[in-house]
Amino acid sequence: MNEFITEHDIYLFHQGTHYFSYQFLGSHSATVDFKKGYFFTVWAPNASEVRVVGDFNKWDGSHFKLDKISNQGLWHRFFPSIPAGSSYKYEIHSGSDIPFLKADPYAFQSEIRPATASVLTTDSTFQWDDTQWRRSQKETNPLKMPINIYEVHIGSWRTHADGTLYSYKELAKELIPYVKSLGYTHIELLPLGEHPFDLSWGYQQTGYYSVTSRYGHPNDLKYFINECHLNELGVILDWVPGHFCKDDHGLRLFDGTPIYEYADPRKAEKRNWGTLTFDFGRPEVQSFLISNALYWLKEFHFDGLRVDAVASMLYLNFDNYDGEEKLYNSYGGEENLEAAAFLRKLNEVVFDYKPHTLMMAEDSTDIPLITSPTYAGGLGFNFKWNMGWMNDTLDFMERDPVYRKWHHQCLTFPIMYTYSENFLLPLSHDEVVHGKKSLLNKMPGDQWQQFANLRLLYGYMMTHPGKKLLFMGGELGLYSEWKDKEQLDWHLIDYPLHKAMFDFVKDLNHFYKHEPSLFECDHKVHGFEWIDPHNIDQSIIVFLRRGDLAGEELIIVCNFTPNVYYDYKVGVPYPGTYKEVFNSDADKYGGSNQLNVGRYFSFPEKWHGHNQHIKIKIPPLAISVFSTPTKGVST
């Protein structure tokens, strides 16, 4: 072998335990015998011959044949005098008489679509300047910190006047100060691996290590993330290990046979998506995917990964048609045991190398222990998207207030399982596309009621246990659902109700970030207490949120009808004075200004199971938040 790739590298890769396989697979610049050039290494176990072709050899690989260096299909060789920036592919000779071309699965850069070749890069010279941020993250516990994520699709957040896309560097100048001013703690970017089709939004990839060239050079993405960290914003990448697209230059039938996907088409096909499932039991695929997770975390300093479509990985019959013959595992169940084992391995490795990573499962299953450690039988994530809360809450909010009392359980039931996982509450891109309507247009009533309902929805989300996520544009109160071919409707900010919504989201985010009771005990039963979940007829709920320290308490009152109530009794835990500290019905937010002004003394009369109560005004379609006296002390 040689110094670049060792027998140990080869052994670990084929064992599924080489977690930095991108450091030797793919193309890497080097100097051998005083000659500059590139090493090429590719896994193609069933190929009879592999050549490198590109613009440097006029796409003729006759003199650029790779050597087979392992019985399990690794091909490798150094070629001198190939210039950086050259386009290349692998010419695979397999069972057929006609060779075919494949992009490099480990390429770090690709041509701009619709071109499909890989691009030779040099070692990154980017200088990171985020040491202070990274050190601060090691000193925090994400479960006890405020996490409020702004989800972004780079291609449609904002575009130039001529419709061209913003670059990573341009986004650093505009997106970062925008998100910071709104009070978010993190930005989540939809997938950035190279993908051929814009409207897949990056969820159907061909280049898992190749930062999409749509928005610039890989170093430009590093610049963007570095600037986020300097502005105290974490960055999360939407990561897609569940499936990949079928384009000819990609991973499908890479060496003429299924090596990245399952050989059994019943397990491989994601028919509803037109994609293929990775073979999670194959060691080389495990090395490929786990290395890819660490690649984004280590080389690009991402703070976390949102793991897409976990349910599609965990169930063998995820998208089977009714009546179709089902697949079963060796125990007779429908779970994909290989995928579950892969996810446990993934999380163990990630937390071993990067202990403070946010590993978030986008999972719609009711499989338990998704966020429990692997040693306790869990999958090992530290957060899970609460799809049940999202579905129940939107189902409730879309109903006319007259009928909401018949569906009151949509508000109360999610608390029954809130502490079964470490949940994040998502209002993501999936809820505002494909005919689902925008969040504003989901809301019933006239225009005033729609905006009031949306403010109430956001306020309820921000005060409910769990971390938070909102898709871009939600702060503007968009009428149209996400138009993935166009930028957001920025002109709406010039209209009073939309500007008021923008101001509301901004104030709500900052309020959340500075109130420990709203995030410190998100995942502890101590952090939430029902005061009144039973007022079905008036569709009013009252609950209490607690932080770690005495006095870190807030009382939240939500009214899901357009009625105003006066002298409404609310049971409270302590004697003393209470003060309204946030009200979504304020006129500056477009509300009717039914505020609770001044301080409210508690009455020594039992109500809602407490020895004290206060009398307050209940604003219409609104959330009111009250501070409590210092615990046990009258003020």
Side-chain angles (χ1 to χ4, degrees):
M1 217 53 59
N2 54 54
E3 294 181 357
F4 183 77
I5 180 171
T6 67
E7 291 287 356
H8 191 57
D9 288 324
I10 295 172
Y11 173 79
L12 292 178
F13 175 71
H14 289 309
Q15 289 293 306
T17 54
H18 202 307
Y19 304 133
F20 295 93
S21 58
Y22 66 87
Q23 294 178 347
F24 72 91
L25 274 143
S27 61
H28 295 268
S29 61
T31 300
V32 177
D33 296 332
F34 305 104
K35 295 180 180 178
K36 291 183 178 181
Y38 282 85
F39 279 108
F40 294 88
T41 311
V42 65
W43 177 54
N46 299 303
S48 57
E49 186 177 288
V50 180
R51 304 176 181 183
V52 181
V53 297
D55 50 15
F56 54 86
N57 62 11
K58 298 182 180 179
W59 300 89
D60 180 0
S62 302
H63 302 291
F64 289 80
K65 298 178 182 179
L66 301 185
D67 300 319
K68 193 172 186 179
I69 61 171
S70 80
N71 292 331
Q72 293 155 293
L74 280 176
W75 301 77
H76 172 78
R77 193 170 177 183
F78 174 79
F79 295 109
S81 305
I82 300 178
S86 298
S87 298
Y88 74 101
K89 285 186 177 180
Y90 292 117
E91 180 181 290
I92 309 291
H93 295 252
S94 190
S96 66
D97 295 330
I98 304 174
F100 49 90
L101 301 182
K102 289 288 187 179
D104 189 344
Y106 282 87
F108 298 136
Q109 192 174 350
S110 303
E111 292 180 316
I112 298 176
R113 51 100 178 82
T116 58
S118 303
V119 175
L120 294 172
T121 61
T122 55
D123 292 338
S124 175
T125 58
F126 184 81
Q127 296 295 313
W128 290 94
D129 190 26
D130 63 348
T131 303
Q132 184 175 345
W133 167 265
R134 297 173 75 190
R135 185 182 297 120
S136 72
Q137 297 309 292
K138 293 179 181 179
E139 298 170 354
T140 61
N141 178 358
L143 296 177
K144 299 181 68 172
M145 297 301 293
I147 294 180
N148 187 13
I149 302 168
Y150 188 73
E151 186 188 32
V152 177
H153 175 251
I154 288 179
S156 59
W157 180 72
R158 191 186 292 275
T159 60
H160 294 292
D162 62 358
T164 55
L165 303 176
Y166 269 45
S167 68
Y168 298 116
K169 284 196 168 183
E170 289 172 325
L171 285 165
K173 294 179 181 178
E174 296 202 24
L175 178 60
I176 292 173
Y178 179 82
V179 173
K180 184 177 181 179
S181 70
L182 277 171
Y184 287 97
T185 63
H186 293 72
I187 296 174
E188 181 175 309
L189 301 173
L190 267 60
L192 292 178
E194 195 57 76
H195 50 285
F197 185 46
D198 285 10
L199 298 189
S200 78
W201 316 325
Y203 289 99
Q204 298 185 15
Q205 299 181 22
T206 52
Y208 271 73
Y209 291 83
S210 181
V211 176
T212 179
S213 54
R214 288 166 173 77
Y215 316 117
H217 189 273
N219 280 347
D220 298 338
L221 176 59
K222 293 179 180 179
Y223 173 82
F224 173 84
I225 295 171
N226 190 71
E227 290 298 305
C228 283
H229 290 168
L230 293 179
N231 283 275
E232 299 183 323
L233 287 171
V235 191
I236 300 166
L237 177 67
D238 205 334
W239 187 58
V240 192
H243 62 127
F244 58 89
C245 65
K246 295 182 177 181
D247 292 59
D248 287 341
H249 66 284
L251 300 177
R252 174 179 174 268
L253 299 176
F254 185 79
D255 65 358
T257 66
I259 61 171
Y260 285 94
E261 68 269 34
Y262 282 110
D264 184 344
R266 297 176 302 167
K267 294 178 71 174
E269 292 285 345
K270 286 281 192 298
R271 288 171 299 185
N272 288 331
W273 296 339
T275 57
L276 293 170
T277 304
F278 281 103
D279 184 345
F280 301 111
R282 190 152 192 169
E284 294 86 356
V285 173
Q286 295 174 18
S287 289
F288 174 81
L289 287 173
I290 295 176
S291 293
N292 186 244
L294 290 177
Y295 168 73
W296 293 108
L297 297 171
K298 179 178 184 293
E299 305 298 335
F300 289 88
H301 292 199
F302 276 101
D303 299 282
L305 301 175
R306 177 264 198 186
V307 181
D308 176 61
V310 169
S312 76
M313 301 170 66
L314 291 177
Y315 280 110
L316 293 168
N317 302 298
F318 174 74
D319 61 355
N320 277 15
Y321 303 129
D322 290 341
E324 186 175 0
E325 181 182 0
K326 291 186 175 182
L327 294 172
Y328 297 97
N329 60 41
S330 56
Y331 297 101
E334 296 185 41
E335 299 83 7
N336 187 331
L337 302 179
E338 296 166 349
F342 163 76
L343 290 171
R344 292 189 188 98
K345 185 176 181 180
L346 165 73
N347 286 317
E348 288 173 352
V349 172
V350 165
F351 288 123
D352 185 38
Y353 284 96
K354 299 284 183 180
H356 300 278
T357 301
L358 302 176
M359 291 296 288
M360 300 182 167
E362 189 260 324
D363 174 41
S364 58
T365 73
D366 57 2
I367 294 175
L369 305 179
I370 299 296
T371 57
S372 293
T374 57
Y375 63 75
L379 286 188
F381 290 94
N382 53 6
F383 290 99
K384 170 179 172 171
W385 279 28
N386 195 336
M387 311 300 282
W389 175 89
M390 178 273 296
N391 283 310
D392 282 348
T393 301
L394 290 182
D395 177 68
F396 180 83
M397 292 300 300
E398 288 183 72
R399 298 179 185 276
D400 189 294
V402 172
Y403 304 111
R404 284 177 176 171
K405 64 181 179 180
W406 304 112
H407 302 273
H408 195 75
Q409 73 280 0
C410 290
L411 297 176
T412 56
F413 178 68
I415 291 296
M416 298 290 289
Y417 59 84
T418 285
Y419 299 103
S420 64
E421 304 279 3
N422 300 327
F423 280 120
L424 176 145
L425 311 181
L427 293 174
S428 74
H429 67 278
D430 276 331
E431 313 320 317
V432 292
V433 75
H434 296 325
K436 295 179 182 178
K437 300 187 293 187
S438 70
L439 292 177
L440 180 65
N441 257 346
K442 292 179 191 287
M443 301 298 108
D446 58 24
Q447 185 184 54
W448 187 92
Q449 289 188 351
Q450 283 187 305
F451 276 90
N453 271 305
L454 188 57
R455 293 193 301 271
L456 173 57
L457 169 62
Y458 291 162
Y460 174 57
M461 176 177 76
M462 297 300 282
T463 54
H464 190 286
K467 307 310 181 186
K468 327 295 178 186
L469 178 142
L470 182 66
F471 185 54
M472 64 182 197
E475 73 278 12
L476 299 173
L478 301 177
Y479 276 114
S480 59
E481 66 178 21
W482 176 33
K483 297 173 290 187
D484 49 8
K485 296 180 181 179
E486 304 174 21
Q487 69 173 357
L488 297 179
D489 293 331
W490 292 107
H491 63 279
L492 292 177
I493 200 72
D494 295 328
Y495 292 83
L497 279 176
H498 297 276
K499 177 60 166 62
M501 178 61 69
F502 176 88
D503 292 339
F504 169 76
V505 171
K506 181 177 181 178
D507 288 355
L508 180 65
N509 287 346
H510 284 282
F511 178 74
Y512 161 77
K513 192 161 64 171
H514 293 100
E515 289 290 342
S517 59
L518 296 180
F519 56 79
E520 279 186 344
C521 297
D522 270 328
H523 313 294
K524 297 179 180 178
V525 176
H526 165 79
F528 176 93
E529 179 184 320
W530 278 119
I531 292 177
D532 182 18
H534 303 301
N535 191 348
I536 295 174
D537 288 337
Q538 293 174 304
S539 293
I540 294 174
I541 59 173
V542 185
F543 55 92
L544 183 145
R545 292 298 312 276
R546 253 185 219 102
D548 275 333
L549 301 178
E552 290 181 349
E553 294 175 318
L554 293 174
I555 292 174
I556 292 93
V557 183
C558 298
N559 177 12
F560 293 92
T561 73
N563 301 319
V564 181
Y565 299 97
Y566 300 92
D567 292 329
Y568 188 93
K569 289 184 179 181
V570 173
V572 293
Y574 315 116
T577 57
Y578 291 74
K579 181 180 179 181
E580 185 176 80
V581 291
F582 197 88
N583 189 326
S584 66
D585 192 49
D587 57 1
K588 64 179 178 178
Y589 303 139
S592 61
N593 217 39
Q594 298 294 325
L595 308 180
N596 291 278
V597 181
R599 296 182 179 272
Y600 288 76
F601 289 89
S602 64
F603 294 86
E605 177 188 2
K606 289 186 177 181
W607 200 258
H608 293 152
H610 291 281
N611 291 326
Q612 305 281 322
H613 74 265
I614 56 176
K615 293 182 179 180
I616 62 172
K617 185 193 304 182
I618 303 289
L621 294 173
I623 179 170
S624 307
V625 183
F626 292 83
S627 62
T628 63
T630 302
K631 187 173 182 180
V633 179
S634 179
T635 58

